[in-house]
Amino acid sequence: QAALDDRLNGTLLKRGERTEEGVALEQNFDKSLIRLFNEVIYWEKLRYDIPFVAMEICGRDNKERFRVMRENVMLVVRDYNSILQVLTKDERRLFQERIHFLDKKITPGLGKLKWAGRGIGDYIRECRKHCSDVRQLVFDFKAAKEQIAHACRQVSATSLVHIKKKRVYDDIEFQGEQRAHADQVRRTLGTMHSEVKATMLRAFEV
């Protein structure tokens, strides 16, 4: 049991290397324990004699408990990292306050909480809730950004002059048709402007 406790004295999480996406989270479970768990599974299948210390560490209860715990911690890791991955460098500056708030919620898993400690379930639930809230804000912002970009592409593709091919106009006919087309374009651009303005207001509120 002492050998197991020593290997479980690490923190739940650690920071990875800094990349263009920021500093991601990584799970910090002892890799030698993972190898031992896997080796014991194969030893059992091959019906080898398993050392007592290995059996004590890798008993069915321990193995299943830490498997579930590792998977739950990995959910926090994926939730957090997915937020960093979808944001550009400039967008991360916009969400700096939200990410800083998230970092404070994550901090106990980087220092105080150990694999053998208590309160891990509550910590995971709280982190996932806050990650979900921030991720939804990010996705709403990204959706608004794409809507604005789509509207801008539509504006760019809108022709201000309408001329039919193989058609010869006299002056009055040409002016009349262009006025009608201009009225239509004005209504279309007005609608697009209203949609972009509404979308920008929603994005600002995020």
Side-chain angles (χ1 to χ4, degrees):
Q1 184 63 40
L4 179 60
D5 290 343
D6 287 343
R7 295 179 185 275
L8 296 174
N9 199 36
T11 59
L12 299 181
L13 301 166
K14 64 180 180 178
R15 289 288 187 179
E17 295 181 1
R18 180 174 293 278
T19 66
E20 291 182 358
E21 296 173 350
V23 184
L25 284 181
E26 295 179 3
Q27 189 188 93
N28 194 36
F29 195 79
D30 189 282
K31 289 182 173 60
S32 62
L33 264 184
I34 297 176
R35 286 195 298 270
L36 183 58
F37 286 154
N38 293 332
E39 287 174 4
V40 167
I41 291 173
Y42 289 114
W43 289 343
E44 289 175 338
K45 289 181 178 179
L46 296 171
R47 299 185 179 180
Y48 284 0
D49 291 334
I50 301 172
F52 175 76
V53 174
M55 281 298 296
E56 185 180 28
I57 292 175
C58 301
R60 184 175 298 276
D61 291 343
N62 280 339
K63 190 163 55 179
E64 180 62 16
R65 177 162 64 96
F66 290 119
R67 182 190 68 80
V68 172
M69 196 180 297
R70 282 164 45 213
E71 288 182 357
N72 287 334
V73 171
M74 276 305 300
L75 291 175
V76 175
V77 170
R78 293 190 189 102
D79 288 349
Y80 180 89
N81 290 345
S82 68
I83 294 170
L84 297 184
Q85 288 166 0
V86 299
L87 292 172
T88 66
K89 183 177 179 179
D90 290 336
E91 289 169 348
R92 281 197 298 276
R93 292 170 63 187
L94 286 174
F95 284 90
Q96 185 175 5
E97 184 178 340
R98 302 281 186 176
I99 293 174
H100 180 65
F101 168 79
L102 205 52
D103 285 342
K104 289 198 294 185
K105 296 297 181 181
I106 295 289
T107 294
L110 294 164
K112 183 172 67 175
L113 286 176
K114 315 293 183 182
W115 289 95
R118 296 182 178 181
I120 294 175
D122 291 338
Y123 168 77
I124 289 171
R125 280 189 291 274
E126 184 176 7
C127 285
R128 294 209 70 201
K129 177 186 179 301
H130 291 296
C131 281
S132 176
D133 292 342
V134 174
R135 186 171 62 245
Q136 188 59 56
L137 289 175
V138 169
F139 287 169
D140 288 346
F141 171 82
K142 299 288 276 189
K145 183 179 176 181
E146 177 54 35
Q147 288 175 2
I148 292 171
H150 177 70
C152 290
R153 288 192 294 270
Q154 285 185 306
V155 171
S156 178
T158 300
S159 175
L160 299 181
V161 177
H162 177 65
I163 300 176
K164 295 179 180 178
K165 292 183 179 180
K166 299 180 181 180
R167 172 82 179 272
V168 178
Y169 296 90
D170 60 34
D171 289 345
I172 296 176
E173 186 181 15
F174 180 77
Q175 291 175 13
E177 187 160 319
Q178 297 315 305
R179 276 196 297 270
H181 179 70
D183 290 340
Q184 181 180 347
V185 168
R186 191 177 296 109
R187 289 192 297 270
T188 300
L189 294 180
T191 300
M192 290 182 185
H193 174 266
S194 298
E195 291 176 354
V196 168
K197 184 178 178 180
T199 302
M200 290 181 69
L201 287 173
R202 289 196 301 271
F204 177 77
E205 291 171 358
V206 168

